[in-house]
Amino acid sequence: MKIKLLSFALLLVMLTLACKKEVIDIAQLALDKPLDIDLNGYASRVKNQNGHIEAATDGFKTVDKGEKVVCYYFAGNKDITFEKAKIDDVLETKVITYNGIVSFIGVHPDNRDAVSLLKYLLKTHSTPDSVSYDTTKFIDSEKETANVLKDAMPGLVKEVADEFDNKSTQYPQQLFWSKNNILTHITLDPTNAHLNMSVKIITKQAYMGHIVQEYAKPLFKEYDSPFAHLFKNNKLQDKNTEKQ
């Protein structure tokens, strides 16, 4: 009887291990390369999008010019990480392919892993091409938020004072990198000792093609696109610009 019970327990363990999904770190997906892994079994939903995104008076619309776009959405999936950071349970993380090529990764990391992730990204990405700062006077109950920012970015966060000597905290709200064909955009919305961070990585072709709603047409204006400032130095100019 004991042997049968042990055999049954062993079988259950083997079945559990066989059914357990492999954890995928989507930071390891090769941007600007064909998708080489099946994400369908991991995504909470998959959306086929024919065309690019344009801003309309009542929101956004899809305009089909032959673009084949697939959007994979994830939220709170324990089998999906980004640079080993867990993803948020509510805010969606997504991977988008553009004509079969991995072209966009948008991540909302779990706040418990956000500081270590930001430190890692700042270390590996080096000096940003551009930083957009915000200045906030954190009240006494939010002092820990300022401390979290200082811990995450000690060289980029500082205390400033106005003409009345009122102290505030100046910190990077948005950081931008442009390297080769890849654009990286980090946004922070700190509150209650949390960074509330998002990380968006997009290929130049997908950015210029407006296949992601965040970068919909029109975008060649400072207030339309977070990467517009890079065009001033012609960092992104190429023959694709003429087609827009």
Side-chain angles (χ1 to χ4, degrees):
M1 182 67 176
K2 289 183 178 180
I3 295 176
K4 288 184 177 180
L5 288 174
L6 287 173
S7 299
F8 181 69
L10 181 60
L11 178 61
L12 284 177
V13 171
M14 293 175 65
L15 288 173
T16 300
L17 292 174
C19 295
K20 184 175 177 58
K21 291 181 181 177
E22 178 185 358
V23 174
I24 296 177
D25 195 306
I26 57 175
Q28 303 307 310
L29 295 177
L31 269 89
D32 212 24
K33 302 290 184 182
L35 182 63
D36 59 359
I37 187 168
D38 185 4
L39 295 177
N40 287 281
Y42 294 84
S44 55
R45 61 190 179 101
V46 179
K47 176 184 175 183
N48 289 297
Q49 172 187 306
N50 294 323
H52 63 272
I53 306 296
E54 294 190 7
T57 55
D58 57 346
F60 297 92
K61 62 180 180 179
T62 303
V63 179
D64 191 352
K65 296 293 184 181
E67 306 96 333
K68 301 300 179 184
V69 180
V70 181
C71 308
Y72 301 89
Y73 295 92
F74 314 89
N77 189 325
K78 306 307 179 186
D79 297 315
I80 295 291
T81 60
F82 180 81
E83 298 291 7
K84 299 182 180 179
K86 299 180 181 66
I87 61 174
D88 191 81
D89 286 332
V90 178
L91 299 174
E92 284 187 317
T93 286
K94 58 186 174 182
V95 173
I96 296 178
T97 61
Y98 176 27
N99 294 333
I101 303 298
V102 180
S103 300
F104 178 81
I105 297 176
V107 179
H108 289 280
D110 188 302
N111 269 316
R112 291 167 291 186
D113 292 341
V115 171
S116 58
L117 175 60
L118 180 57
K119 287 180 178 179
Y120 175 78
L121 293 175
L122 288 172
K123 180 179 179 181
T124 55
H125 283 64
S126 191
T127 305
D129 286 292
S130 179
V131 179
S132 174
Y133 287 89
D134 190 20
T135 302
T136 300
K137 182 175 177 59
F138 293 108
I139 60 177
D140 289 343
S141 62
E142 294 182 310
K143 281 187 176 179
E144 188 57 32
T145 304
N147 292 333
V148 169
L149 287 167
K150 292 173 184 175
D151 176 53
M153 303 173 288
L156 296 172
V157 178
K158 63 181 180 180
E159 296 299 317
V160 296
D162 61 18
E163 63 269 28
F164 303 107
D165 203 33
N166 294 314
K167 300 290 194 302
S168 298
T169 302
Q170 185 182 78
Y171 66 93
Q173 186 180 48
Q174 298 186 82
L175 304 99
F176 307 92
W177 288 266
S178 172
K179 185 175 182 181
N180 299 325
N181 199 39
I182 308 299
L183 311 174
T184 302
H185 177 199
I186 295 177
T187 303
L188 306 176
D189 184 21
T191 183
N192 298 326
H194 295 309
L195 290 179
N196 300 319
M197 181 169 73
S198 71
V199 182
K200 297 173 184 175
I201 310 170
I202 187 169
T203 65
K204 186 194 301 185
Q205 285 76 18
Y207 176 80
M208 303 291 287
H210 316 285
I211 62 104
V212 183
Q213 182 170 306
E214 290 93 314
Y215 308 115
K217 271 189 171 184
L219 62 65
F220 296 122
K221 297 176 183 176
E222 195 70 37
Y223 55 83
D224 281 327
S225 170
F227 284 108
H229 61 281
L230 296 178
F231 285 85
K232 294 179 180 178
N233 298 324
N234 295 320
K235 287 187 177 182
L236 301 182
Q237 295 286 3
D238 64 8
K239 60 184 180 181
N240 290 328
T241 308
E242 301 170 0
K243 298 179 181 179
Q244 305 303 315

